[in-house]
Amino acid sequence: MTDTFTLTGRNFIGSNPSTKGNDIFQAIDPKTGVPFGTEFHSATSEEIGYAAILAAEAFETFGHSMGASRAEFLEAIASEMESNSQAIIEQANFETALPIPRLEGEMKRTTGQLRMFAEFVRDDSWVDARIEIAIPGRSPIPKPDLRRMLIPIGPIAVFGSSNFPLAYSVAGGDTASALAAGCPVIVKAHPAHPGTSELVAQCVLKAAKAREQPNGVFSMIHGGPGPGIALVHHRILKGVGFTGSLQGGRALFDAANSRPVPIPVFAEMGSVNPVFILPSALEDDVSGLAKGYAGSLTLGVGQFCTNPGIVVALESSMLDEWVSQVQSEISGQSGTMLTPNIGKSYCASVGNLSSYPSVGTIVASSEPGTPSLFKCEAKAFLEDDSLQSEVFGPCGLVVVCKSADEMLQVAKSLHGQLTATIHSKPSEVPKELIRILEQKAGRLVFNGWPTGVEVCAAMTHGGPYPASTDSRFSAVGTTSIARWVRPISYQNWPIELLPSELR
Amino acid sequence: MTDTFTLTGRNFIGSNPSTKGNDIFQAIDPKTGVPFGTEFHSATSEEIGYAAILAAEAFETFGHSMGASRAEFLEAIASEMESNSQAIIEQANFETALPIPRLEGEMKRTTGQLRMFAEFVRDDSWVDARIEIAIPGRSPIPKPDLRRMLIPIGPIAVFGSSNFPLAYSVAGGDTASALAAGCPVIVKAHPAHPGTSELVAQCVLKAAKAREQPNGVFSMIHGGPGPGIALVHHRILKGVGFTGSLQGGRALFDAANSRPVPIPVFAEMGSVNPVFILPSALEDDVSGLAKGYAGSLTLGVGQFCTNPGIVVALESSMLDEWVSQVQSEISGQSGTMLTPNIGKSYCASVGNLSSYPSVGTIVASSEPGTPSLFKCEAKAFLEDDSLQSEVFGPCGLVVVCKSADEMLQVAKSLHGQLTATIHSKPSEVPKELIRILEQKAGRLVFNGWPTGVEVCAAMTHGGPYPASTDSRFSAVGTTSIARWVRPISYQNWPIELLPSELR
């Protein structure tokens, strides 16, 4: 721990530390399942309401601030996180069991995202200004002067994810994009890494103070689903960003849509990220493909939303060889999962798959974090929708097709996905397979693996439901700012009263 | 009627006329309340299902067609409508009582919209292609080649509106933007103008055939809420466009969100379009302002979603004079409303307002389509949320404020709006009023009136709920295509397999 920040277990209602509630919890050591360290206070309705009011007040100035000012704020957050990098990473390592090098990489990604959005909004050119000058003499009626730009929608609720304690939590992509747009943020910290969350929150608050941002531009509350739903229900909140499970995302989506005034929810809920391995790829390099798949499947103990949970391939002796090599690659591997509950769920899902009469077990263990591999015939996969359910963790299912046509049927049967991948010689890909997968996924990968999400303007991280609640947006990259903004048009507005972007 | 098309009363399932149902209705003469003419068949679930399947099949080619091909289709629809303009306008006049000159204008707007979208998509440059070339040598990991573009989301359900029988019905803005994007459309015709709907549907189908578009790219069904909800619930449908009442829009929104796989709904549900008249405007030209307001309030018998239902002004003798002049302007006016039910609702709302103890009646009549004007104190308005409810028709409520501060309180209390208007000398507008109204509306009008929605790239027609279900989109102008598209990214994809826009 650095000298700078000490864990307090408090909620931060704007810059005010607050512990009004009696619901207290601790972080749990993922390795032992034993609670440890600081006691954290779940937020009360009163605290949530106060955070919302502060956010609304902050929005009155923050929502009209210059991009340059918000850019400085984002950069200051990045710098504060770097200054406290060691303490944050250590705490995250205690709380999530993610290895230090992984967390160091995630820290770089997180500060990189903050700086990317700083660059993106600094000169205010991102607001997509459209100016149409009046044509007073137009017949039959004059054309008015119309000027349109994007403005922030208001305070946003951000839900920290369990599997990205930095890049998709307190100062992660959702927070960075919302702040960049001019929306105050109230984060609900993920209870699996409350200490990491507090340290990062302190960085954000220190940066806000240093850059003279209004109190309430950022708040962070602790708690489980109760405070989360209360936050989404609060009338002041105008949008929701979430990364996590289908069940959690859908609950927030339903809560937001049942409000008297519904608000948009962007929930990124993961998927099974199907990988289609065509014969020409196996002919080319069975062992490279086996190593590549095993690496992607087990990366981060399989706890990525882009984890390649399903492989689709044609029946062949080469496929058998590939399966056997993957089996060798993953056997004996093991890792600690993010939380004991995630470990339990993983084991339950693996046990469940083992018990399917139509599913063959290649590798399965009752230990959390130990990779598993199953196999089934395409016919069985097509007949049982539940085989498409995501298993969070390093668990793969190989769907064996008897024909190219059956492979297309499997592709057609897939639910919405974040990604879909094809391994093949380019000349041997059936065009129809591409056409089908374009309808299923937000990102298509060729001769690669879906894990590893590049943060850039050309990235789409999202996809048809249940990959996300709204495929029209991305959760990663500069375009993700579109989730938090709306157009406004000014008609015949006096130049001197227009926002500077439209003059 | 022309020789070309004869009314049949059928649903069009793709190009197949279909009358499987026994639920039969006729158009109702708005002037007399008497049913007349052709018997129309409400669609059955079976017909809806078949239309959906055809739409999915059509999407396989239409969703990948060149923009130039879709542009020709849209232009052909516009030409067919022009060729049958007289018959369509006559029928619309019978069914809606909208005057011929208004319908002629609406016809021009409708064909103009179709041609605008044709231009917009013709060269495929609208797909917002973003290409990031690989950096194989990047440290610590190589940057992949990533290319992103927008693609259509799939078959769209479009609900015809009662008040725009052409521009927001069968071949109106929602249909034009969805077809332009590459999404097949299934229209549910508004039962208030089924014959107009059929004539326009025949134009669309003739154009589709002439331009060799796939069967199912367009279907049109008849019916009320039952078939409408069935359409929204159908698993093949991927989005919904609606223009109409809050009750109707919310029902579709709730239906779409309760699906196992939710789909986005863009419902434009109207608003009261507050007009703030500041003292300097009254000082400048009381009588011009009175004439202007009366004209906007009564335009189209007040049946516009941008109808200025609420005026907010400071107590003064000039305001009294303005009210008195508006009273003179609107007294004695009358018009036929779109349907007998709309007329009944209007009278009920006017009667209701007359009975409020806190509301003063300036002009009120129990005749449908006769303009009404009411007055209340800001205090009463602030205390009773129901005074903000939209009265569909030529009904205005003047909210009289005792101070500039009270005016700001009224502004703050407003629900979401399509538009908000300020009349003032530019130098005398409180900045805070602008800041508040920016949070309330999709379009701000200065020294003008909200009726009359310019169709262009800088228009925003939409706004915070309940003006629309998603303020992040516009229902009018080229940007409205964004409702029907989503991004997709291709990672390390072989050039020869990329869509042409990304090569």
Side-chain angles (χ1 to χ4, degrees):
Chain A
M1 302 298 298
T2 66
D3 297 335
T4 322
F5 298 136
T6 313
L7 289 181
T8 66
R10 294 169 180 167
N11 301 284
F12 290 93
I13 309 305
S15 58
N16 321 318
S18 183
T19 53
K20 293 199 188 299
N22 299 316
D23 182 3
I24 287 166
F25 68 101
Q26 289 175 288
I28 293 172
D29 184 338
K31 295 192 180 69
T32 61
V34 176
F36 73 96
T38 309
E39 294 189 328
F40 293 88
H41 293 253
S42 289
T44 64
S45 306
E46 191 190 346
E47 287 170 319
I48 291 167
Y50 188 37
I53 289 166
L54 283 182
E57 286 172 8
F59 184 53
E60 289 181 14
T61 51
F62 190 65
H64 292 95
S65 59
M66 300 299 292
S69 156
R70 298 198 300 279
E72 287 180 358
F73 178 28
L74 293 167
E75 288 170 331
I77 299 171
S79 298
E80 277 303 325
M81 287 183 72
E82 281 162 349
S83 299
N84 296 279
S85 169
Q86 201 188 333
I88 294 168
I89 287 171
E90 270 176 19
Q91 183 72 25
N93 173 252
F94 292 153
E95 293 182 330
T96 65
L98 291 171
I100 299 287
R102 145 72 195 268
L103 290 165
E104 286 170 345
E106 193 178 328
M107 174 63 82
K108 278 191 189 133
R109 174 173 167 175
T110 309
T111 55
Q113 286 176 161
L114 289 159
R115 293 203 170 93
M116 174 187 76
F117 279 109
E119 279 316 302
F120 188 65
V121 301
R122 193 187 309 277
D123 68 358
D124 295 305
S125 63
W126 67 277
V127 300
D128 195 19
R130 293 159 192 241
I131 298 178
E132 301 207 25
I133 305 296
I135 309 178
R138 191 183 65 174
S139 169
I141 48 163
K143 177 172 179 173
D145 183 285
L146 271 163
R147 299 170 191 235
R148 170 202 180 271
M149 64 179 280
L150 299 172
I151 61 171
I153 57 176
I156 303 298
V158 169
F159 288 75
S161 73
S162 66
N163 62 340
F164 278 97
L166 304 176
Y168 275 81
S169 282
V170 178
D174 291 344
T175 298
S177 56
L179 291 177
C183 297
V185 167
I186 303 177
V187 170
K188 191 191 82 59
H190 198 287
H193 50 262
T196 310
S197 298
E198 180 175 347
L199 293 178
V200 176
Q202 292 194 32
C203 291
V204 178
L205 290 167
K206 193 169 168 196
K209 192 173 177 195
R211 308 313 312 189
E212 296 178 337
Q213 296 296 341
N215 189 21
V217 71
F218 175 86
S219 290
M220 189 191 73
I221 62 165
H222 289 291
I229 296 287
L231 187 59
V232 170
H233 274 152
H234 198 288
R235 65 177 175 79
I236 283 174
L237 274 294
K238 293 288 184 282
V240 179
F242 170 88
T243 302
S245 69
L246 174 56
Q247 192 190 1
R250 182 72 192 234
L252 297 183
F253 179 79
D254 290 343
N257 286 319
S258 68
R259 288 166 46 128
V261 175
I263 56 174
V265 174
F266 188 88
E268 188 271 86
M269 302 178 294
S271 63
V272 294
N273 303 290
V275 175
F276 288 76
I277 303 187
L278 273 59
S280 60
L282 287 170
E283 279 160 24
D284 190 48
D285 184 6
V286 170
S287 112
L289 275 179
K291 280 193 172 64
Y293 179 68
S296 184
L297 182 73
T298 59
L299 192 70
V301 200
Q303 299 165 121
F304 287 114
C305 43
T306 53
N307 190 56
I310 285 182
V311 171
V312 186
L314 285 179
E315 186 174 49
S316 75
S317 57
M318 280 182 312
L319 179 64
D320 297 339
E321 173 59 24
W322 180 83
V323 167
S324 155
Q325 292 199 22
V326 172
Q327 181 182 3
S328 308
E329 290 286 337
I330 65 178
S331 293
Q333 285 202 37
S334 186
T336 305
M337 300 197 80
L338 292 157
T339 72
N341 278 341
I342 287 174
K344 268 182 222 157
S345 288
Y346 176 74
C347 292
S349 299
V350 167
N352 186 35
L353 277 170
S354 307
S355 71
Y356 270 73
S358 58
V359 172
T361 301
I362 315 288
V363 185
S365 145
S366 55
E367 284 299 303
T370 303
S372 307
L373 192 65
F374 295 95
K375 198 164 89 166
C376 74
E377 294 194 353
K379 190 167 173 292
F381 185 84
L382 290 167
E383 282 169 1
D384 189 346
D385 206 48
S386 70
L387 290 174
Q388 289 202 39
S389 300
E390 184 186 7
V391 177
F392 192 68
C395 175
L397 173 65
V398 183
V399 180
V400 182
C401 306
K402 294 206 182 296
S403 66
D405 185 61
E406 206 175 43
M407 185 180 267
L408 295 178
Q409 293 307 315
V410 168
K412 276 187 188 162
S413 78
L414 291 168
H415 302 165
Q417 305 289 338
L418 290 169
T419 74
T421 297
I422 295 177
H423 281 272
S424 175
K425 276 188 189 156
S427 58
E428 299 194 6
V429 185
K431 292 274 163 52
E432 197 182 344
L433 180 60
I434 300 178
R435 291 293 163 268
I436 296 167
L437 295 181
E438 283 172 336
Q439 295 312 313
K440 300 294 181 181
R443 175 165 58 110
L444 301 182
V445 180
F446 203 84
N447 286 350
W449 304 102
T451 43
V453 179
E454 182 72 22
V455 179
C456 67
M459 173 52 70
T460 302
H461 190 67
Y465 189 95
S468 73
T469 46
D470 194 338
S471 68
R472 297 172 300 174
F473 300 91
S474 169
V476 172
T478 47
T479 60
S480 67
I481 202 171
R483 298 174 294 170
W484 319 126
V485 296
R486 68 176 175 92
I488 186 169
S489 296
Y490 297 82
Q491 181 168 324
N492 291 336
W493 210 252
I495 296 290
E496 65 270 31
L497 297 180
L498 282 168
S500 56
E501 295 89 338
L502 293 179
R503 278 177 205 166
Chain B
M1 303 295 299
T2 67
D3 298 335
T4 323
F5 298 135
T6 313
L7 288 181
T8 66
R10 294 167 181 168
N11 301 283
F12 291 92
I13 310 305
S15 58
N16 320 95
S18 183
T19 53
K20 293 198 190 298
N22 299 318
D23 183 3
I24 288 167
F25 68 100
Q26 290 175 288
I28 293 172
D29 184 337
K31 296 192 179 71
T32 62
V34 176
F36 72 97
T38 309
E39 293 189 330
F40 293 88
H41 293 253
S42 288
T44 63
S45 305
E46 190 191 345
E47 287 170 318
I48 291 167
Y50 188 36
I53 289 166
L54 282 182
E57 286 171 9
F59 184 53
E60 289 182 15
T61 50
F62 190 65
H64 292 96
S65 59
M66 301 298 293
S69 156
R70 298 198 300 279
E72 287 180 356
F73 178 29
L74 292 167
E75 288 170 331
I77 298 171
S79 298
E80 278 301 326
M81 287 183 72
E82 281 161 349
S83 300
N84 295 279
S85 168
Q86 202 188 333
I88 293 167
I89 287 171
E90 271 176 18
Q91 184 70 25
N93 173 251
F94 293 153
E95 292 182 331
T96 65
L98 291 171
I100 299 287
R102 145 73 195 270
L103 289 165
E104 285 169 345
E106 194 178 328
M107 173 64 79
K108 277 191 190 135
R109 174 173 166 176
T110 309
T111 55
Q113 285 176 162
L114 288 159
R115 292 203 170 91
M116 174 188 76
F117 279 109
E119 279 315 303
F120 188 65
V121 300
R122 193 186 308 278
D123 68 358
D124 295 304
S125 63
W126 66 278
V127 300
D128 195 19
R130 292 157 192 244
I131 298 177
E132 300 208 25
I133 305 296
I135 309 177
R138 191 183 65 176
S139 170
I141 49 163
K143 177 172 179 173
D145 183 284
L146 271 164
R147 299 169 191 234
R148 169 201 181 271
M149 63 180 280
L150 299 172
I151 61 171
I153 57 176
I156 303 299
V158 169
F159 287 76
S161 72
S162 66
N163 62 340
F164 278 97
L166 305 175
Y168 274 81
S169 281
V170 179
D174 290 345
T175 298
S177 55
L179 292 177
C183 297
V185 167
I186 302 177
V187 169
K188 191 191 83 58
H190 198 286
H193 50 263
T196 310
S197 297
E198 180 175 346
L199 293 178
V200 176
Q202 293 194 32
C203 292
V204 178
L205 290 167
K206 193 170 168 197
K209 192 174 177 194
R211 307 315 311 187
E212 296 178 340
Q213 296 297 340
N215 190 21
V217 71
F218 175 85
S219 290
M220 188 191 74
I221 62 166
H222 289 290
I229 295 288
L231 186 59
V232 170
H233 274 151
H234 198 288
R235 63 175 177 80
I236 284 175
L237 273 295
K238 294 288 185 283
V240 179
F242 170 89
T243 303
S245 69
L246 174 57
Q247 191 190 1
R250 182 72 193 233
L252 297 183
F253 179 79
D254 290 343
N257 286 320
S258 67
R259 290 168 43 130
V261 174
I263 56 175
V265 174
F266 188 88
E268 188 271 86
M269 302 177 294
S271 63
V272 294
N273 303 291
V275 175
F276 288 76
I277 303 187
L278 273 59
S280 61
L282 288 170
E283 279 160 24
D284 190 49
D285 184 7
V286 171
S287 113
L289 273 179
K291 281 191 172 64
Y293 179 69
S296 184
L297 183 73
T298 59
L299 191 70
V301 200
Q303 299 165 121
F304 287 113
C305 42
T306 53
N307 191 56
I310 286 181
V311 171
V312 187
L314 285 179
E315 186 174 49
S316 74
S317 58
M318 279 182 311
L319 178 65
D320 296 340
E321 173 59 24
W322 179 84
V323 168
S324 152
Q325 291 198 20
V326 172
Q327 180 182 4
S328 308
E329 291 286 337
I330 65 178
S331 293
Q333 285 201 37
S334 186
T336 305
M337 300 196 81
L338 291 157
T339 71
N341 278 340
I342 286 174
K344 267 182 222 155
S345 289
Y346 176 75
C347 291
S349 298
V350 167
N352 186 36
L353 276 171
S354 307
S355 72
Y356 270 72
S358 59
V359 173
T361 301
I362 315 288
V363 185
S365 145
S366 55
E367 283 300 302
T370 303
S372 308
L373 192 65
F374 296 94
K375 197 163 90 166
C376 73
E377 293 194 354
K379 190 166 172 293
F381 186 84
L382 289 168
E383 281 169 2
D384 188 346
D385 207 48
S386 70
L387 289 174
Q388 290 202 37
S389 300
E390 184 187 6
V391 177
F392 192 68
C395 176
L397 173 65
V398 183
V399 180
V400 183
C401 305
K402 294 208 183 295
S403 67
D405 185 60
E406 205 174 44
M407 186 178 268
L408 296 178
Q409 292 307 314
V410 169
K412 277 187 188 161
S413 77
L414 291 169
H415 302 166
Q417 305 288 340
L418 291 169
T419 74
T421 297
I422 296 177
H423 281 272
S424 176
K425 274 189 192 159
S427 59
E428 300 195 6
V429 185
K431 291 275 162 53
E432 197 182 344
L433 180 60
I434 300 178
R435 291 292 162 267
I436 295 167
L437 295 180
E438 283 171 336
Q439 295 312 313
K440 299 293 181 181
R443 175 165 59 109
L444 300 182
V445 180
F446 202 85
N447 286 350
W449 304 101
T451 43
V453 179
E454 182 73 21
V455 180
C456 67
M459 173 52 68
T460 302
H461 190 67
Y465 189 96
S468 73
T469 46
D470 194 338
S471 68
R472 296 173 301 174
F473 299 91
S474 170
V476 171
T478 47
T479 60
S480 67
I481 202 170
R483 298 174 295 170
W484 320 126
V485 295
R486 68 175 174 92
I488 186 170
S489 296
Y490 297 83
Q491 182 168 325
N492 292 336
W493 210 251
I495 297 289
E496 64 271 30
L497 297 181
L498 281 168
S500 55
E501 295 89 337
L502 293 180
R503 280 179 202 166

